[in-house]
Amino acid sequence: MTGIEDESRQNTRQKRKVTIAESVSYFTNEAAVTKTRGNIKLQLSLEVIEERAKEHGLSPNVILKLADVAGSARFSEAITIRLIKSLIPSKYIPEEAIIHVVSWMCTNKPSSTVKTWLIKWIITVYDYIGEKNKIHAVYPILFLFIDNEQMCPFVCHLLYLMTRKEDVKQYRVQKLLEIQNKVGTQPHIMGLLSLYKLYSPATITLSTAIGNRPFFHKIHPKWTQSVRDIVEKNRVNNDQITNDMDSLNGFPSEDATSVPAKRLKLDVIPKLQTTTSMNQQAINNKVSMEQMHTFKDLLQNVDRLQLPSQISSILKYPKLYHVVSCLPEQTTHQRLSYWLYEVLCEEIVDYSGIGNNPRAEKLLQYIINYCEFIQEGIPICEQFLTRYLFTWNGMDYRVYILQLITRFRLWPFQKMNDLLLEPIHKLFFSSSVYFKCQVISTYTQLLRNFVCVEWPRYESMHQHRGANIAETTMQLNETCLFNQDYEEFDPVDTISQFISLVDRLCAVGLLTENDNALLMHCTLAFYELVSKMCKFYGFPNTLIPSTGILLKALFGSDASALSRVCNIICNYRTEIKHRKTSDDKAAKFKPEVIQQLNHHILLFSDSLWRNQAFTPTPSVAPLLTFEHKKPAEIDLSNANDSFSLWKHPALASYADSFMFNKQVTDANTSTDRSSLKKEYLEYLKSQHLYGVHWFIKTFIKNV
C-alpha cells in the first residue's frame, strides 16, 4: 500500500508541474510518443486537460488545436474518446474546429467509433458554435455518412439541426427511404424526413408520425449538462457579454451593450442570429432580423424578413410575434414545436436540482406571453403537460402550469377529463384551500377561452367543413397558427359537461373546507361567467349552480358573497330575456332549467324579503323538514325572520349602521322597518352591495 500511495503522491506532484499549455503542446506535437501503456507524460497531459475542461472549459484556440488532434486519431481510440469528451468550451466553439473535424472524418484515419463520437460532440456543442455560415457548406458531406449503420442515428440528428429549406432534395429523400426499407422504420430517419416534409410537402407523401416517441435519443445528459454549466459560469464572470436584447423597444440593439449577467444565466432562449451572409441576403432580396431596430423598420420590410436560424429566439422579442402571425408558415411553427418539446423535457423533467429550475421558469413565462398574444395554445406544450401532469406534485412551476392550462384547446370531454382534469383533481382533494382556489380560477379562465375563442373557431370550421377529414383538417389549420388534427365531436356537450364537473368540484371543495370565503368567491366568479355566456358569447346552453352552492352563499355570513349570488340569479334572468328575442331555436332554455331557476328566485325572495325562508309555500318546499316530531327544546318561531334583509347574519352590521344613522331608537318596530325598506335598499347599494339591490328591484313588485 505504501508503494501505491507514494506513486500516487508522485503523480500528483508531477501533474501540478504540468501546465495546460504544455499538455496541449504534447498532443499537438507530431513527434510525441502516442503509445498508451507506461506513457506517464501522456496520462498526465490528458488528466490536466480533463480537469481544466471540467472546471473552467477550454478556450477557442485550444479547442481548435485539440479538435484537430482528435480528428486525426493519432492516439489510441480510448485516448481520443477521452480527448473528445474534454472539448468543453469556455465561451464558444470556433466554426473552423467543426470544419477540421468533418475534414478528418472524410479520411480513413479515424475509426467509425471515433467518427461517431465526433458527431456526438458537434451535436452537444451545436448551440455554442460562434458562427454557422461556413458550417452549412459541409451539409452534403455529412449526409454521406448516413450509410454507416453506427453513425446514422447521430448524423440524422445533426442534419436535423442544420437543415434549411434549400437542403431538401429529391435524391436525399430517396436515399433515406431506401435505408428505411432496409432497416425498417427508425425514429431518427422519420425525424429527418418529417423536417423535409415540412419544408417540401410535395416531395414526401408518406406519414412521418411515430406517436409520442422522440425522434432522437439524448446524448449523455451529464456531459450535456456539464457543457452548459461551464459555458454559463464563464458567461456570468465575463465582462464582455454580447448584447442580447434592447430592453426599451424589444429589438436587437445596433451596438454591443452589456446584458446583466444574472439574466443571461437564466436565459434558455438562444440569441437572435441569422446565419445567411449579407451578400446572400442581398441576392435573395431578404433582410435579417438583426437589421430591424424600430417597429417602422419591421413594417417596411415585413414581406422581406428572413427569420432567424434558431426560430425559438423570437420568443424573446414580443414585436416579432407580429411577423410570425402575419406570415404564418407551418414550417416556422413546426420548428418551434420540436424545439419546445425537447427543451421542456430537458429543463423540467430531466432537471436534477432542488426546487424550480430558474431557466425553466423563464422559458415557461416566454411561452405564456406568446400564447396570450396569439390567443391559442401550442399543441406540443399541451402534449408535454398532459404527460407531465401525471407525475406533477402540485408545487413545481404551479403558477406557470396553471396559466398554460387556461389556453388548452377544445377536446372531446372524455379525452380532456382523462388527460387534463383527472390528474389535477387527484391533487385538488389532497391539497390546501389555496391550491383549490387556484384550480377553480384556472377553470374559470379555461371556460372563458372555450366559449370566447375555441368554440367559435370550431363552429366556423364546422360550418365550412370539407368533404372528408383531410379537407376539414386543412380548413381548421387555416384558422390556427399551429397544425392540429380535426376531431368530430360536439363542443357544446363538452363545455356543458365541463361546467357540471366544475360545479360538483366546487360543491365538494366548499364542503371539505368549511365554506372557506376565498373558495366561495372563486366559485361565484366561475358562475358569473356561466350566467353571461349566452348574452356575451352566444353560447346555446346554460347550467344552473347546484342548490347547495346557492344556499351556502345565501345563508352565509359574507355580505359580498350574498350580493354576488343575487347578481348571478339576475344574470340568468337577463339570459332568458335575451334568448326569448333570439331566432335560434337551439338557444332556448330547457323547461327544467327555467323551473329550477324559478325555484331559486322564490327561495331567495322568501328569505330576504317575505321572511318565509322556512315556511312551506305552494311553489317552494320548506328548507327545514323533520320526518319525526320536532324536539320541544328547538324553537323555530323566529327562524324565518333571521334571514331577512334586516337580521340576515351577513347584513346585520349594515342594518345596524343604517338604523344608527337614521337615529331610530327602536329597531325592532316593524312599522319603522317597513317604511325604511326602500331607503335601506339604496343604502345597501351605496355600500357596493349591488347584487342585493338589483335582485329586490328585479323580482319584487312595488319596491
Side-chain angles (χ1 to χ4, degrees), residues 668-695:
N668 295 320
T669 305
S670 60
T671 55
D672 292 336
R673 292 199 305 268
S674 300
S675 62
L676 295 176
K677 272 188 175 181
K678 294 182 180 180
E679 193 173 348
Y680 178 47
L681 283 176
E682 296 300 324
Y683 175 77
L684 293 178
K685 182 179 179 181
S686 68
Q687 298 299 312
H688 307 291
L689 299 179
Y690 303 107
V692 177
H693 179 272
W694 187 20
F695 181 88

mmCIF file of all heavy atoms in Angstrom, residues 668-695:
data_model
loop_
_atom_site.group_PDB
_atom_site.id
_atom_site.type_symbol
_atom_site.label_atom_id
_atom_site.label_comp_id
_atom_site.label_asym_id
_atom_site.label_seq_id
_atom_site.Cartn_x
_atom_site.Cartn_y
_atom_site.Cartn_z
ATOM 1 N N ASN A 668 -86.635 47.255 16.489
ATOM 2 C CA ASN A 668 -87.495 46.085 16.366
ATOM 3 C C ASN A 668 -88.910 46.436 15.927
ATOM 4 O O ASN A 668 -89.754 45.554 15.772
ATOM 5 C CB ASN A 668 -87.560 45.337 17.705
ATOM 6 C CG ASN A 668 -86.213 44.760 18.078
ATOM 7 O OD1 ASN A 668 -85.508 44.255 17.218
ATOM 8 N ND2 ASN A 668 -85.851 44.827 19.369
ATOM 9 N N THR A 669 -89.228 47.693 15.774
ATOM 10 C CA THR A 669 -90.564 48.097 15.371
ATOM 11 C C THR A 669 -90.766 47.819 13.897
ATOM 12 O O THR A 669 -90.064 48.364 13.046
ATOM 13 C CB THR A 669 -90.783 49.598 15.653
ATOM 14 O OG1 THR A 669 -90.506 49.840 17.036
ATOM 15 C CG2 THR A 669 -92.208 50.002 15.337
ATOM 16 N N SER A 670 -91.735 46.966 13.608
ATOM 17 C CA SER A 670 -91.939 46.536 12.223
ATOM 18 C C SER A 670 -92.399 47.675 11.337
ATOM 19 O O SER A 670 -92.092 47.715 10.147
ATOM 20 C CB SER A 670 -92.955 45.391 12.174
ATOM 21 O OG SER A 670 -94.200 45.826 12.710
ATOM 22 N N THR A 671 -93.153 48.613 11.887
ATOM 23 C CA THR A 671 -93.632 49.731 11.061
ATOM 24 C C THR A 671 -92.474 50.585 10.571
ATOM 25 O O THR A 671 -92.446 51.010 9.421
ATOM 26 C CB THR A 671 -94.605 50.603 11.880
ATOM 27 O OG1 THR A 671 -93.958 51.015 13.101
ATOM 28 C CG2 THR A 671 -95.861 49.801 12.237
ATOM 29 N N ASP A 672 -91.477 50.765 11.470
ATOM 30 C CA ASP A 672 -90.310 51.542 11.069
ATOM 31 C C ASP A 672 -89.531 50.824 9.976
ATOM 32 O O ASP A 672 -89.076 51.437 9.018
ATOM 33 C CB ASP A 672 -89.423 51.817 12.267
ATOM 34 C CG ASP A 672 -90.080 52.769 13.262
ATOM 35 O OD1 ASP A 672 -90.963 53.539 12.841
ATOM 36 O OD2 ASP A 672 -89.689 52.721 14.431
ATOM 37 N N ARG A 673 -89.365 49.521 10.145
ATOM 38 C CA ARG A 673 -88.610 48.759 9.139
ATOM 39 C C ARG A 673 -89.321 48.778 7.795
ATOM 40 O O ARG A 673 -88.695 48.892 6.742
ATOM 41 C CB ARG A 673 -88.423 47.316 9.610
ATOM 42 C CG ARG A 673 -87.514 47.161 10.807
ATOM 43 C CD ARG A 673 -87.008 45.728 10.910
ATOM 44 N NE ARG A 673 -88.096 44.769 10.941
ATOM 45 C CZ ARG A 673 -88.647 44.319 12.068
ATOM 46 N NH1 ARG A 673 -88.221 44.775 13.235
ATOM 47 N NH2 ARG A 673 -89.626 43.430 12.015
ATOM 48 N N SER A 674 -90.632 48.668 7.781
ATOM 49 C CA SER A 674 -91.379 48.658 6.523
ATOM 50 C C SER A 674 -91.257 49.991 5.804
ATOM 51 O O SER A 674 -91.112 50.035 4.571
ATOM 52 C CB SER A 674 -92.852 48.337 6.794
ATOM 53 O OG SER A 674 -92.979 47.074 7.404
ATOM 54 N N SER A 675 -91.339 51.045 6.547
ATOM 55 C CA SER A 675 -91.266 52.363 5.911
ATOM 56 C C SER A 675 -89.869 52.704 5.413
ATOM 57 O O SER A 675 -89.704 53.560 4.555
ATOM 58 C CB SER A 675 -91.731 53.443 6.901
ATOM 59 O OG SER A 675 -90.866 53.466 8.035
ATOM 60 N N LEU A 676 -88.883 52.031 5.970
ATOM 61 C CA LEU A 676 -87.498 52.352 5.602
ATOM 62 C C LEU A 676 -86.881 51.348 4.630
ATOM 63 O O LEU A 676 -85.702 51.451 4.323
ATOM 64 C CB LEU A 676 -86.631 52.416 6.867
ATOM 65 C CG LEU A 676 -86.951 53.527 7.854
ATOM 66 C CD1 LEU A 676 -86.093 53.401 9.094
ATOM 67 C CD2 LEU A 676 -86.741 54.888 7.213
ATOM 68 N N LYS A 677 -87.666 50.375 4.166
ATOM 69 C CA LYS A 677 -87.091 49.324 3.318
ATOM 70 C C LYS A 677 -86.492 49.885 2.034
ATOM 71 O O LYS A 677 -85.378 49.508 1.639
ATOM 72 C CB LYS A 677 -88.159 48.276 2.984
ATOM 73 C CG LYS A 677 -88.268 47.162 4.010
ATOM 74 C CD LYS A 677 -89.194 46.069 3.525
ATOM 75 C CE LYS A 677 -89.199 44.898 4.519
ATOM 76 N NZ LYS A 677 -90.074 43.795 4.061
ATOM 77 N N LYS A 678 -87.246 50.745 1.369
ATOM 78 C CA LYS A 678 -86.734 51.301 0.112
ATOM 79 C C LYS A 678 -85.453 52.101 0.345
ATOM 80 O O LYS A 678 -84.493 52.004 -0.420
ATOM 81 C CB LYS A 678 -87.793 52.174 -0.547
ATOM 82 C CG LYS A 678 -89.027 51.411 -1.018
ATOM 83 C CD LYS A 678 -89.998 52.341 -1.713
ATOM 84 C CE LYS A 678 -91.235 51.580 -2.186
ATOM 85 N NZ LYS A 678 -92.215 52.459 -2.861
ATOM 86 N N GLU A 679 -85.484 52.887 1.408
ATOM 87 C CA GLU A 679 -84.298 53.685 1.717
ATOM 88 C C GLU A 679 -83.127 52.787 2.126
ATOM 89 O O GLU A 679 -81.973 53.078 1.804
ATOM 90 C CB GLU A 679 -84.633 54.672 2.835
ATOM 91 C CG GLU A 679 -83.583 55.762 3.016
ATOM 92 C CD GLU A 679 -84.022 56.818 4.000
ATOM 93 O OE1 GLU A 679 -85.216 56.836 4.364
ATOM 94 O OE2 GLU A 679 -83.164 57.628 4.401
ATOM 95 N N TYR A 680 -83.444 51.688 2.794
ATOM 96 C CA TYR A 680 -82.403 50.730 3.209
ATOM 97 C C TYR A 680 -81.765 50.053 1.994
ATOM 98 O O TYR A 680 -80.553 49.828 1.954
ATOM 99 C CB TYR A 680 -83.024 49.697 4.145
ATOM 100 C CG TYR A 680 -82.070 48.618 4.623
ATOM 101 C CD1 TYR A 680 -80.798 48.939 5.111
ATOM 102 C CD2 TYR A 680 -82.431 47.275 4.587
ATOM 103 C CE1 TYR A 680 -79.932 47.960 5.551
ATOM 104 C CE2 TYR A 680 -81.569 46.282 5.026
ATOM 105 C CZ TYR A 680 -80.328 46.629 5.503
ATOM 106 O OH TYR A 680 -79.470 45.658 5.937
ATOM 107 N N LEU A 681 -82.588 49.748 0.984
ATOM 108 C CA LEU A 681 -82.042 49.154 -0.237
ATOM 109 C C LEU A 681 -81.065 50.107 -0.920
ATOM 110 O O LEU A 681 -80.020 49.683 -1.431
ATOM 111 C CB LEU A 681 -83.177 48.792 -1.206
ATOM 112 C CG LEU A 681 -83.973 47.523 -0.893
ATOM 113 C CD1 LEU A 681 -85.115 47.367 -1.891
ATOM 114 C CD2 LEU A 681 -83.071 46.294 -0.941
ATOM 115 N N GLU A 682 -81.397 51.377 -0.948
ATOM 116 C CA GLU A 682 -80.484 52.351 -1.538
ATOM 117 C C GLU A 682 -79.199 52.457 -0.724
ATOM 118 O O GLU A 682 -78.118 52.671 -1.279
ATOM 119 C CB GLU A 682 -81.162 53.717 -1.634
ATOM 120 C CG GLU A 682 -82.362 53.758 -2.567
ATOM 121 C CD GLU A 682 -81.994 53.379 -3.995
ATOM 122 O OE1 GLU A 682 -80.877 53.746 -4.442
ATOM 123 O OE2 GLU A 682 -82.813 52.715 -4.658
ATOM 124 N N TYR A 683 -79.334 52.291 0.578
ATOM 125 C CA TYR A 683 -78.135 52.304 1.430
ATOM 126 C C TYR A 683 -77.229 51.112 1.118
ATOM 127 O O TYR A 683 -76.003 51.251 1.037
ATOM 128 C CB TYR A 683 -78.557 52.288 2.900
ATOM 129 C CG TYR A 683 -77.373 52.186 3.857
ATOM 130 C CD1 TYR A 683 -76.580 53.285 4.130
ATOM 131 C CD2 TYR A 683 -77.068 50.968 4.469
ATOM 132 C CE1 TYR A 683 -75.498 53.198 4.999
ATOM 133 C CE2 TYR A 683 -75.989 50.863 5.337
ATOM 134 C CZ TYR A 683 -75.210 51.976 5.592
ATOM 135 O OH TYR A 683 -74.139 51.875 6.443
ATOM 136 N N LEU A 684 -77.842 49.927 0.936
ATOM 137 C CA LEU A 684 -77.042 48.747 0.574
ATOM 138 C C LEU A 684 -76.344 48.953 -0.772
ATOM 139 O O LEU A 684 -75.200 48.532 -0.961
ATOM 140 C CB LEU A 684 -77.932 47.508 0.520
ATOM 141 C CG LEU A 684 -78.532 47.030 1.849
ATOM 142 C CD1 LEU A 684 -79.427 45.810 1.617
ATOM 143 C CD2 LEU A 684 -77.429 46.681 2.848
ATOM 144 N N LYS A 685 -77.024 49.620 -1.687
ATOM 145 C CA LYS A 685 -76.404 49.902 -2.993
ATOM 146 C C LYS A 685 -75.219 50.848 -2.830
ATOM 147 O O LYS A 685 -74.180 50.684 -3.498
ATOM 148 C CB LYS A 685 -77.447 50.514 -3.916
ATOM 149 C CG LYS A 685 -76.925 50.807 -5.314
ATOM 150 C CD LYS A 685 -78.014 51.405 -6.193
ATOM 151 C CE LYS A 685 -77.481 51.714 -7.583
ATOM 152 N NZ LYS A 685 -78.533 52.327 -8.451
ATOM 153 N N SER A 686 -75.359 51.822 -1.926
ATOM 154 C CA SER A 686 -74.254 52.754 -1.696
ATOM 155 C C SER A 686 -73.063 52.076 -1.045
ATOM 156 O O SER A 686 -71.935 52.574 -1.141
ATOM 157 C CB SER A 686 -74.729 53.917 -0.819
ATOM 158 O OG SER A 686 -75.025 53.461 0.505
ATOM 159 N N GLN A 687 -73.308 50.921 -0.397
ATOM 160 C CA GLN A 687 -72.225 50.146 0.211
ATOM 161 C C GLN A 687 -71.677 49.090 -0.758
ATOM 162 O O GLN A 687 -71.023 48.140 -0.342
ATOM 163 C CB GLN A 687 -72.730 49.476 1.491
ATOM 164 C CG GLN A 687 -73.184 50.446 2.564
ATOM 165 C CD GLN A 687 -72.061 51.346 3.027
ATOM 166 O OE1 GLN A 687 -70.957 50.894 3.329
ATOM 167 N NE2 GLN A 687 -72.345 52.652 3.076
ATOM 168 N N HIS A 688 -71.996 49.241 -2.031
ATOM 169 C CA HIS A 688 -71.494 48.381 -3.116
ATOM 170 C C HIS A 688 -72.082 46.967 -3.072
ATOM 171 O O HIS A 688 -71.511 46.059 -3.679
ATOM 172 C CB HIS A 688 -69.964 48.298 -3.086
ATOM 173 C CG HIS A 688 -69.287 49.631 -3.077
ATOM 174 N ND1 HIS A 688 -69.291 50.478 -4.161
ATOM 175 C CD2 HIS A 688 -68.603 50.282 -2.099
ATOM 176 C CE1 HIS A 688 -68.629 51.586 -3.871
ATOM 177 N NE2 HIS A 688 -68.211 51.497 -2.615
ATOM 178 N N LEU A 689 -73.203 46.783 -2.439
ATOM 179 C CA LEU A 689 -73.919 45.502 -2.489
ATOM 180 C C LEU A 689 -74.958 45.592 -3.606
ATOM 181 O O LEU A 689 -76.173 45.514 -3.390
ATOM 182 C CB LEU A 689 -74.563 45.198 -1.134
ATOM 183 C CG LEU A 689 -73.600 45.059 0.046
ATOM 184 C CD1 LEU A 689 -74.357 44.782 1.337
ATOM 185 C CD2 LEU A 689 -72.581 43.951 -0.216
ATOM 186 N N TYR A 690 -74.458 45.737 -4.830
ATOM 187 C CA TYR A 690 -75.347 45.969 -5.965
ATOM 188 C C TYR A 690 -76.225 44.765 -6.260
ATOM 189 O O TYR A 690 -77.344 44.907 -6.748
ATOM 190 C CB TYR A 690 -74.518 46.321 -7.204
ATOM 191 C CG TYR A 690 -73.620 47.519 -7.025
ATOM 192 C CD1 TYR A 690 -72.244 47.374 -6.905
ATOM 193 C CD2 TYR A 690 -74.143 48.804 -6.984
ATOM 194 C CE1 TYR A 690 -71.414 48.467 -6.747
ATOM 195 C CE2 TYR A 690 -73.322 49.912 -6.823
ATOM 196 C CZ TYR A 690 -71.962 49.731 -6.701
ATOM 197 O OH TYR A 690 -71.156 50.824 -6.529
ATOM 198 N N GLY A 691 -75.717 43.563 -5.980
ATOM 199 C CA GLY A 691 -76.482 42.371 -6.306
ATOM 200 C C GLY A 691 -77.775 42.274 -5.530
ATOM 201 O O GLY A 691 -78.828 41.935 -6.097
ATOM 202 N N VAL A 692 -77.732 42.565 -4.220
ATOM 203 C CA VAL A 692 -78.946 42.518 -3.396
ATOM 204 C C VAL A 692 -79.947 43.556 -3.883
ATOM 205 O O VAL A 692 -81.151 43.278 -4.020
ATOM 206 C CB VAL A 692 -78.587 42.758 -1.918
ATOM 207 C CG1 VAL A 692 -79.847 42.784 -1.063
ATOM 208 C CG2 VAL A 692 -77.621 41.686 -1.423
ATOM 209 N N HIS A 693 -79.483 44.763 -4.140
ATOM 210 C CA HIS A 693 -80.365 45.830 -4.628
ATOM 211 C C HIS A 693 -80.988 45.454 -5.960
ATOM 212 O O HIS A 693 -82.200 45.625 -6.177
ATOM 213 C CB HIS A 693 -79.550 47.124 -4.750
ATOM 214 C CG HIS A 693 -80.342 48.281 -5.276
ATOM 215 N ND1 HIS A 693 -80.466 48.549 -6.635
ATOM 216 C CD2 HIS A 693 -81.068 49.253 -4.637
ATOM 217 C CE1 HIS A 693 -81.204 49.601 -6.813
ATOM 218 N NE2 HIS A 693 -81.585 50.070 -5.614
ATOM 219 N N TRP A 694 -80.183 44.907 -6.874
ATOM 220 C CA TRP A 694 -80.688 44.542 -8.198
ATOM 221 C C TRP A 694 -81.709 43.408 -8.097
ATOM 222 O O TRP A 694 -82.728 43.414 -8.786
ATOM 223 C CB TRP A 694 -79.513 44.140 -9.093
ATOM 224 C CG TRP A 694 -79.891 43.909 -10.535
ATOM 225 C CD1 TRP A 694 -81.007 44.365 -11.170
ATOM 226 C CD2 TRP A 694 -79.152 43.181 -11.506
ATOM 227 N NE1 TRP A 694 -81.024 43.968 -12.478
ATOM 228 C CE2 TRP A 694 -79.880 43.237 -12.711
ATOM 229 C CE3 TRP A 694 -77.942 42.500 -11.476
ATOM 230 C CZ2 TRP A 694 -79.444 42.613 -13.868
ATOM 231 C CZ3 TRP A 694 -77.489 41.894 -12.640
ATOM 232 C CH2 TRP A 694 -78.237 41.943 -13.826
ATOM 233 N N PHE A 695 -81.445 42.440 -7.231
ATOM 234 C CA PHE A 695 -82.355 41.305 -7.098
ATOM 235 C C PHE A 695 -83.725 41.763 -6.595
ATOM 236 O O PHE A 695 -84.768 41.381 -7.149
ATOM 237 C CB PHE A 695 -81.759 40.274 -6.133
ATOM 238 C CG PHE A 695 -82.619 39.053 -5.938
ATOM 239 C CD1 PHE A 695 -82.502 37.962 -6.786
ATOM 240 C CD2 PHE A 695 -83.562 38.992 -4.908
ATOM 241 C CE1 PHE A 695 -83.303 36.840 -6.622
ATOM 242 C CE2 PHE A 695 -84.360 37.885 -4.739
ATOM 243 C CZ PHE A 695 -84.233 36.804 -5.599
#
